[in-house]
Amino acid sequence: MRPASSSSGRRQVAAPAASCASLGSPRQRLALLPPLLAALLSAGAVAAAPDLTPRERVAEAAALLSVDPSRAAALAGAAREEARRLRDRSAEAQALSVLATSDVALGKWSEALARSDEGLALLGPGDDPRLAVELRLSRGAGLADLGRFVEAREEIDEATAGSRALAAPDLLARALRSRARLRSRLGDAAEAIRDGIEADEAAARSGDEALAAEVLADLGSLYDDVGEGEAALACFERALPVFERIGAGKSQAAVAHDVARIHLGRGKLDEAAASYRRSLLLSQKAGDESGIAYAELGLASVERRRGRPGGEALGRLRKCLATFERLGDVRMRFTALVEIGRLERERGRPLPALLSLEQALSAASRLGTEDEIALAQRELALTYASAKRWEEAYRSFLGAERHRDLAAESERRRQATELGVRFATQLQRRENELLVRENEVGKLRLAEERARRTLFALAAGAGLLLASLLTAGLLRDRRQRHLLAELARTDELTGLPNRRAALEALEREIHAADRYGGPLSLAILDLDRFKEVNDGLGHAVGDAVLVAFAGLCRTVLRREDLAARWGGEEFLVLLRQTAEPEARGVLERLREGTRAIRLPGADPVAAVTVSAGLTSRRMGELDADGLLRRADVALYAAKAGGRDRVEAAPG
């Protein structure tokens, strides 16, 4: 079971730092460890001794990174001081790289950024270029978590380009993983998955089994985030035997937990229980207290879903609570307390439930996150109501609503910031492309002028200057017109084409189908009971559902297909060269993926569903209006048939 407010479904191997969302779990961060550092001077894990050189101390620290980042940081700090005393700039840069990497593993993002900057400043022309790539990756991680996304993207892109130039597949895999996580955080799921797939290919070329398994586990998480459960399970199942072969028990247990969580989300309780037990055994074998507690929490959740709120589940939860308290994991302590409260309420024991939920509210206040506070208040309201203490139930309900509104406002600000960053990045990229083209035009003009070597050189130079100024003005004007035209044809919230753009595309596709032959399928999809989501959970949650569904469409559909926002909660899908049976298969994948979308602040089992009306045409049949009418009729039949289904128009 994941933390209540976590945006990622992955169980973390160690207790999560509050600001580690950009780079995932400590297991994922430790997988970024540079092989360069571990191989320095082929020193291996040497014993600490006063006569070790700074480079040997760095190698000793690098060997400890994956086992004890804090100890590695202490050794690297001592190596840095010795290197500074000896004025060995290269050794000091290597020590700073180990320090930055340990800071990333420990979630110390500001320190990672500062040390990466220091290390990059020390590098000279003769230093290993791999070290610069490692430092840029650590710098990108620090920038991302501090909210400086544009700079983080630039650093990670530069590290990616450097890895390609060095033809180093291991470095390339790590750089692409960092970029995939950043893109996922900014909501660009399709591009994140593409980077994840390329990272998987690069890791396979590197021959590093551990890296390949970690990349596969990350790719599975990316698929899971967009509701592609089957693809996620395939990645996890490929990673598990590799972790077993290399003896990575903690990582193996973490992936088994991910598999269990997907099965639990699909309601496959037997499979979920089996995977949770596997994770439990692996965590016990590895001596991982946190992993044991996560697995016990998952097993208790399975028992509760089976309708068995008995003593066994409660015993598991209390063991989890004790472990999280001992480890100082406030977030998971909160999760365990909420689960205990729910279980006690379902057993008809409101007083122990209230005691547990009051402690959960206190833990949520320490975390300072509005979502957790709202959840605790909501559970308290339900428990007070079960005990017929209506005044306390009402007050708790009002508190939950107030904190939920604050959380929604915070989420709106975060989304606005991320959309602004994405727009600024896109605009900067276009500006750079135009500058490059303008520079190429200027160079061609200059070469032509020099070739003439005539008495009219001065006049031609003046003409060239005037032409360059006019060209620049025209290009700027064309760019602005193009940007305005794009914005007029794009839905502001989802980034999909709007109704106007969809109608134009439909007319084009009908014309092409009549000219060249072949089938064309059109579907109108409507999110079921969407008004209840808006009214019950707020428009911010409704907007998040629309954005998530738009991302699902981008993932499922081909590049040549079209998904557009038709209006409100309705979407239009246009499938080229696709007959009705194939089109139905595509819509079924969209329908199944929609059920994996979760509503923030709602019960974890609550699912979003979609109904779809499908129609297809052959050459010379219906026009655009006829197709749309038939799709509307089919959509009405899907709604009347019970929703969450795909209906095709007759004929």
Side-chain angles (χ1 to χ4, degrees):
M1 171 167 285
R2 67 182 182 185
S5 65
S6 174
S7 62
S8 169
R10 307 271 319 263
R11 176 180 71 78
Q12 301 183 6
V13 173
S19 61
C20 293
S22 64
L23 284 183
S25 70
R27 173 174 67 75
Q28 295 169 321
R29 299 196 296 273
L30 290 173
L32 294 171
L33 300 179
L36 165 70
L37 298 173
L40 285 173
L41 300 179
S42 299
V46 296
D51 58 348
L52 290 180
T53 67
R55 294 173 188 250
E56 290 171 332
R57 290 183 186 277
V58 170
E60 182 182 14
L64 288 171
L65 271 170
S66 61
V67 179
D68 189 346
S70 299
R71 177 62 177 159
L75 291 174
R80 181 194 180 191
E81 293 303 319
E82 183 67 11
R84 292 178 70 177
R85 188 182 67 80
L86 297 174
R87 297 185 180 180
D88 187 342
R89 293 168 61 89
S90 178
E92 185 180 355
Q94 292 169 0
L96 283 165
S97 182
V98 174
L99 285 167
T101 306
S102 63
D103 287 335
V104 169
L106 295 169
K108 298 179 179 180
W109 307 104
S110 298
E111 292 88 338
L113 178 59
R115 283 166 170 164
S116 299
D117 286 337
E118 290 181 72
L120 288 168
L122 287 171
L123 290 180
D127 288 312
D128 191 332
R130 290 175 59 98
L131 187 57
V133 173
E134 299 288 359
L135 286 165
R136 289 199 181 281
L137 286 176
S138 295
R139 190 172 193 276
L143 288 167
D145 202 76
L146 293 173
R148 295 160 61 179
F149 300 118
V150 174
E151 296 172 79
R153 175 66 179 272
E154 290 173 354
E155 288 293 337
I156 294 173
D157 282 348
E158 191 163 343
T160 305
S163 302
R164 294 189 196 278
L166 292 169
D170 57 331
L171 281 180
L172 179 60
R174 288 180 169 82
L176 288 168
R177 287 179 67 210
S178 295
R179 192 165 72 179
R181 283 195 293 272
L182 180 59
R183 282 177 163 170
S184 177
R185 185 176 182 183
L186 293 176
D188 196 350
E191 291 298 324
I193 288 175
R194 289 192 186 96
D195 278 342
I197 292 172
E198 188 179 356
D200 180 29
E201 295 169 352
R205 292 197 305 273
S206 75
D208 186 338
E209 280 195 314
L211 174 61
E214 291 290 345
V215 168
L216 270 174
D218 272 6
L219 182 56
S221 290
L222 293 173
Y223 278 124
D224 186 28
D225 288 341
V226 297
E228 288 286 346
E230 290 299 331
L233 285 174
C235 291
F236 293 148
E237 294 298 340
R238 285 174 57 198
L240 278 170
V242 180
F243 284 133
E244 183 176 8
R245 186 163 56 251
I246 65 178
K250 288 185 179 181
S251 295
Q252 190 182 0
V255 175
H257 189 281
D258 292 336
V259 172
R261 184 185 43 72
I262 292 177
H263 287 317
L264 183 62
R266 293 178 163 191
K268 297 182 177 180
L269 301 184
D270 291 339
E271 291 89 337
S275 293
Y276 278 131
R277 282 193 290 270
R278 182 181 184 185
S279 178
L280 176 61
L281 291 174
L282 289 166
S283 297
Q284 289 171 339
K285 185 176 180 181
D288 181 6
E289 282 191 287
S290 179
I292 293 169
Y294 274 102
E296 293 279 13
L297 196 59
L299 286 168
S301 180
V302 170
E303 291 299 314
R304 181 170 168 266
R305 289 280 293 275
R306 282 173 167 164
R308 303 174 186 171
E312 182 180 353
L314 186 60
R316 290 184 188 277
L317 289 172
R318 294 202 181 282
K319 285 200 300 184
C320 294
L321 178 61
T323 300
F324 292 135
E325 286 177 343
R326 185 167 60 255
L327 296 175
D329 189 337
V330 180
R331 189 174 302 279
M332 289 309 299
R333 177 176 178 270
F334 163 80
T335 302
L337 286 166
V338 169
E339 288 298 312
I340 291 172
R342 288 170 173 168
L343 198 60
E344 293 283 21
R345 183 176 69 236
E346 290 170 5
R347 297 179 71 195
R349 291 159 50 88
L351 292 181
L354 288 171
L355 177 62
S356 181
L357 292 170
E358 289 288 355
Q359 293 176 356
L361 179 61
S362 176
S365 300
R366 287 179 57 193
L367 288 169
T369 51
E370 302 296 340
D371 282 328
E372 277 85 354
I373 296 174
L375 176 61
Q377 293 271 30
R378 177 177 175 274
E379 294 296 329
L380 277 169
L382 292 173
T383 306
Y384 279 127
S386 71
K388 304 188 184 314
R389 294 168 61 174
W390 306 115
E391 181 180 355
E392 292 97 328
Y394 179 67
R395 289 178 180 174
S396 296
F397 174 78
L398 292 180
E401 289 298 299
R402 183 174 66 257
H403 286 288
R404 191 177 67 176
D405 290 342
L406 291 173
E409 178 62 29
S410 176
E411 178 62 17
R412 282 194 292 271
R413 288 197 299 268
R414 185 193 68 78
Q415 291 179 357
T417 300
E418 291 183 358
L419 289 172
V421 168
R422 293 179 65 186
F423 175 72
T425 303
Q426 184 183 54
L427 197 60
Q428 184 64 51
R429 189 182 303 119
R430 291 177 180 174
E431 291 282 355
N432 292 340
E433 291 172 356
L434 285 173
L435 287 173
V436 169
R437 291 173 186 170
E438 290 174 5
N439 189 37
E440 291 173 353
V441 170
K443 287 179 180 178
L444 289 173
R445 297 281 188 185
L446 183 59
E448 181 183 354
E449 179 62 23
R450 287 176 177 173
R452 293 179 181 277
R453 299 181 181 278
T454 65
L455 296 175
F456 302 101
L458 183 60
L464 175 63
L465 178 60
L466 179 60
S468 298
L469 292 174
L470 288 173
T471 301
L474 288 172
L475 285 172
R476 282 193 296 272
D477 184 60
R478 184 182 304 167
R479 182 177 69 249
Q480 291 171 353
R481 289 201 305 271
H482 178 69
L483 180 59
L484 289 173
E486 270 195 357
L487 291 174
R489 294 161 51 83
T490 302
D491 178 63
E492 182 178 359
L493 175 64
T494 64
L496 294 176
N498 59 17
R499 188 186 189 99
R500 173 184 172 185
L503 286 171
E504 292 174 359
L506 178 58
E507 293 288 351
R508 286 197 306 271
E509 292 304 326
I510 290 175
H511 178 73
D514 288 340
R515 182 175 181 183
Y516 301 110
L520 176 68
S521 292
L522 177 142
I524 298 177
L525 299 90
D526 184 89
L527 295 173
D528 297 327
R529 297 186 175 90
F530 188 76
K531 185 176 184 303
E532 297 177 12
V533 174
N534 272 338
D535 294 344
L537 300 176
H539 288 281
V541 174
D543 289 350
V545 170
L546 293 173
V547 171
F549 183 78
L552 175 65
C553 289
R554 294 190 185 96
T555 302
V556 171
L557 299 184
R558 304 169 300 180
R559 287 182 181 274
E560 60 265 30
D561 297 332
L562 172 80
R565 188 176 180 190
W566 193 238
E569 65 269 25
E570 285 190 346
F571 293 79
L572 181 140
V573 169
L574 192 60
L575 305 172
R576 298 177 60 190
Q577 296 294 320
T578 306
E580 182 182 313
E582 292 80 11
R584 178 180 287 276
V586 174
L587 295 176
E588 286 293 345
R589 290 199 297 275
L590 280 174
R591 186 185 66 79
E592 292 171 1
T594 304
R595 293 184 63 83
I597 297 174
R598 289 295 173 260
L599 299 172
D603 191 286
V605 300
V608 181
T609 60
V610 67
S611 300
L614 168 65
T615 184
S616 300
R617 76 182 294 278
R618 295 181 180 85
M619 185 171 64
E621 287 187 345
L622 298 174
D623 60 4
D625 289 337
L627 277 175
L628 290 170
R629 282 195 297 272
R630 280 175 50 172
D632 268 329
V633 170
L635 176 60
Y636 180 81
K639 290 289 189 181
R643 299 183 175 87
D644 191 21
R645 60 193 296 135
V646 177
E647 289 286 348

